[in-house]
Amino acid sequence: MSDYMIRATGFNGHVRAFAARTTNIVEEMRSRHDMWNTATAAAGRTLTVTLMMGAMLKGDESLYVKVKGGGPIGQIMAEANAHGEGVAYVTNPHVHFELNELGKLDVRRAVGTEGFVYVTKDLGLKEPYQGSSPIVSGEIGEDFTYYFVTSEQTPSAVGVGVLVNPEDRSVLAAGGFILQLMPFTPDDVVATIEERLSGLPQVSRMIGEGLTPEEILAKVLDEPKYLSRTEINFHCKCSSEKVSQALISLGREEMQSMLEEQGEAEVHCHFCNERYHYDRAALEDLMKDM
């Protein structure tokens, strides 16, 4: 099944909602970075939230998310745009612990609880929008719930999950949802949502059982209206052309020094783990364009 996300409203327009199935993109991320199980869960949850936040943008707008909680995973970086394209990585992908007391992957221990969630949005303005909030649990979903309330003043509920095969570390299911209350939402609507969320199964379990994003939202929303569907794809901004231009921008003197001292160059993209190698002949060709 392909990855996609939907944008919807419910309760006669008092709630806006997003839901996504991200199994394939999280598996692509895991495979590229050789992530261990707990690292996969933490980064996969973050990437899922970032993709849904991307659905709140328009045109060529994009956003960057950093989760830095002081745990052994280091920092989680994710980026996404309004077209359903995203990518993510962690400082230390080789992090895994025994299941916690609830029988779940111990994401809190991997992420840590001493730090912040940082969000930067490129909205095409002179300066990007920047927001942040303290990490409250290290479980990612609760941390972004708190971010929306404190940094964007939007009462929200965020649920994300990643189910990992303990034998081969592959991603069995991943996805999430974001619910946001519009101004002047009636108290009875808020109470209904809170009650339904309290009885909702884990997101990864619902995705693993085959529920679609629409079916997940139908468990929470009254009168759901599905406004759009966006396919989700793993996409990094790096390319051989951009890397070549970056090398050229170093200048002739720096390039000549690189040729004399190393005779080659390798550029590593942290986001997608792609490596671009330039041998002596390739570097000399680049210098012809300088």
Side-chain angles (χ1 to χ4, degrees):
M1 293 186 289
S2 64
D3 289 348
Y4 72 95
M5 59 185 155
I6 57 170
R7 183 169 57 92
T9 61
F11 292 98
N12 197 27
H14 286 297
V15 179
R16 76 167 182 169
F18 305 83
R21 179 170 60 216
T22 58
T23 306
N24 297 326
I25 192 172
V26 174
E27 168 60 18
E28 175 81 4
M29 173 200 70
R30 181 209 67 81
S31 176
R32 282 177 172 266
H33 293 280
D34 186 35
M35 287 185 179
W36 293 359
N37 296 8
T38 311
T40 297
R45 292 180 187 182
T46 305
L47 177 56
T48 298
V49 175
T50 305
L51 285 161
M52 290 188 289
M53 292 176 71
M56 302 175 188
L57 306 175
K58 58 182 183 294
D60 293 326
E61 296 174 349
S62 60
L63 78 155
Y64 307 84
V65 166
K66 178 169 69 174
V67 178
K68 192 173 183 179
I73 202 173
Q75 67 182 21
I76 309 171
M77 289 291 298
E79 63 178 34
N81 58 31
H83 308 297
E85 298 171 334
V87 66
Y89 76 96
V90 299
T91 306
N92 181 12
H94 294 163
V95 172
H96 179 59
F97 301 110
E98 296 298 320
L99 301 181
N100 61 21
E101 63 275 7
L102 299 176
K104 299 169 59 179
L105 290 169
D106 202 346
V107 171
R108 173 190 177 95
R109 183 178 174 187
V111 173
T113 57
E114 300 294 328
F116 287 82
V117 169
Y118 301 94
V119 175
T120 302
K121 297 180 183 179
D122 183 354
L123 305 177
L125 305 175
K126 188 174 181 180
E127 297 292 336
Y129 164 86
Q130 294 183 317
S132 64
S133 66
I135 290 175
V136 294
S137 76
E139 293 286 349
I140 304 302
E142 295 170 4
D143 301 307
F144 278 92
T145 295
Y146 190 71
Y147 165 80
F148 281 118
V149 172
T150 58
S151 189
E152 299 194 4
Q153 291 76 53
T154 305
S156 306
V158 180
V160 284
V162 177
L163 184 64
V164 182
N165 186 329
E167 296 183 3
D168 65 4
R169 305 206 302 265
S170 64
V171 177
L172 298 174
F177 64 82
I178 298 176
L179 305 178
Q180 297 190 317
L181 302 181
M182 296 295 97
F184 311 111
T185 299
D187 291 341
D188 62 321
V189 172
V190 177
T192 298
I193 292 174
E194 289 177 344
E195 180 181 358
R196 292 178 182 176
L197 287 176
S198 66
L200 200 66
Q202 295 177 10
V203 175
S204 57
R205 175 183 166 188
M206 290 189 287
I207 295 289
E209 291 176 350
L211 269 67
T212 65
E214 292 90 341
E215 290 170 333
I216 291 174
L217 287 186
K219 289 181 173 291
V220 184
L221 300 179
D222 277 355
E223 304 170 350
K225 294 183 179 179
Y226 303 110
L227 307 177
S228 66
R229 168 176 168 145
T230 304
E231 299 299 316
I232 290 174
N233 295 289
F234 186 95
H235 176 75
C236 186
K237 292 181 178 179
C238 77
S239 67
S240 58
E241 291 79 9
K242 289 183 178 179
V243 172
S244 295
Q245 288 302 315
L247 288 172
I248 291 172
S249 69
L250 294 175
R252 175 172 289 276
E253 184 176 338
E254 183 71 22
M255 288 279 284
Q256 186 63 44
S257 176
M258 190 182 301
L259 270 172
E260 293 174 356
E261 295 176 9
Q262 303 171 24
E264 61 180 2
E266 183 173 271
V267 179
H268 175 221
C269 176
H270 292 289
F271 271 103
C272 68
N273 210 30
E274 197 73 38
R275 295 182 184 273
Y276 297 88
H277 182 263
Y278 293 77
D279 58 17
R280 177 176 295 276
L283 290 177
E284 290 174 346
D285 284 342
L286 288 180
M287 291 185 66
K288 295 176 182 177
D289 297 329
M290 299 174 66

